[in-house]
Structure formats: structure tokens, C-alpha cells
Amino acid sequence: QGQLVESGGGLVQAGDSLRLSCVASGRTFNWYAMGWFRQAPGLERECVATINNGGRTTDYADSVKGRFTISRDNAKSTVYLQMNSLKPADTGVYYCARSRRPYSTLRTADFDSWGQGTQVTVSS
């Protein structure tokens, strides 16, 4: 229940774009907010972007505002992260996660199901 599978990571140059996808299993995808997190080597996992269950409300970390866009397609049980103007500091493993709540939140503790991660590497 609640399996999440990320895809779309890769090696890109600074300034390039990537679109990450996360496909969820289960019947209740539209009940919960979703989020994207990332973790660089030796650093804490941080919340990048979140979206409420209906897809109308989003929240972003300050470091990605104006560059990243989170969206979801509930009919496909999929959440996306469009990443533009990528920087080397964006490098890390990106994880998709499901929230315990229907509303958008940046609080890591509210997320109870996690994908395996997809690597994003941005070179200069």
C-alpha cells in the first residue's frame, strides 16, 4: 500500500531542465498531499515542494522558488516536479513522498510513505 516510484533523474548541465515523475499505487492518491524532497551527500533531507490533494495549493523551499514547479494528475496517480534553471546545488537524490494530510505542508514529519529516490546531478 502506498508504493511510490520516482523517475526522470539524470546528469545535466547547469541551466538545463529536468522533469521528475512519481507514480503512486493504491486507490486513495487523491486523498493526500504529496511532496518532493532531496538529499545531498552528508546533508539532511530537505523538503523541496509540496502540493495539496486537489493540486490547487503548492509550497516551495526558498531555494527553488521561481525555478521548480510541482503538479499532480490524480487520474494518473502521478506527481511531477518540473525543474528549470538547474544549479549544481540542486544535485542530490530526489524522493517522492505522501503526506498523512490532505493539505500542503513543508513539515517532513507529516509524510509517511516514501519512494526509492532518483538521482539528479547538475554539473557546472
Side-chain angles (χ1 to χ4, degrees), residues 9-14 18 83 86-88 90-94 118-123:
L11 173 62
V12 298
Q13 300 281 341
L18 281 174
M83 305 185 294
L86 283 162
K87 306 173 180 179
D90 295 319
T91 293
V93 179
Y94 282 69
T118 184
Q119 177 71 40
V120 172
T121 302
V122 185
S123 66

Side-chain angles (χ1 to χ4, degrees), residues 17-39:
S17 297
L18 281 174
R19 187 195 194 204
L20 306 183
S21 298
C22 171
V23 179
S25 63
R27 296 164 49 87
T28 59
F29 180 75
N30 63 319
W31 292 8
Y32 306 107
M34 299 293 294
W36 285 97
F37 295 73
R38 68 186 181 190
Q39 187 169 28

Side-chain angles (χ1 to χ4, degrees), residues 30-121:
N30 63 319
W31 292 8
Y32 306 107
M34 299 293 294
W36 285 97
F37 295 73
R38 68 186 181 190
Q39 187 169 28
L43 299 179
E44 294 277 309
R45 186 175 297 185
E46 64 173 334
C47 186
V48 173
T50 58
I51 187 167
N52 78 324
N53 64 325
R56 299 292 188 182
T57 303
T58 59
D59 292 283
Y60 298 93
D62 288 341
S63 60
V64 307
K65 285 181 179 177
R67 299 188 299 119
F68 290 11
T69 302
I70 187 171
S71 61
R72 66 193 295 164
D73 185 338
N74 286 345
K76 297 180 179 179
S77 296
T78 302
V79 62
Y80 305 95
L81 185 67
Q82 178 67 45
M83 305 185 294
N84 298 327
S85 301
L86 283 162
K87 306 173 180 179
D90 295 319
T91 293
V93 179
Y94 282 69
Y95 299 90
C96 176
R98 186 196 72 178
S99 176
R100 304 174 187 271
R101 317 292 188 185
Y103 49 82
S104 179
T105 176
L106 297 178
R107 186 170 182 266
T108 303
D110 284 339
F111 292 82
D112 66 351
S113 185
W114 299 81
Q116 82 287 351
T118 184
Q119 177 71 40
V120 172
T121 302

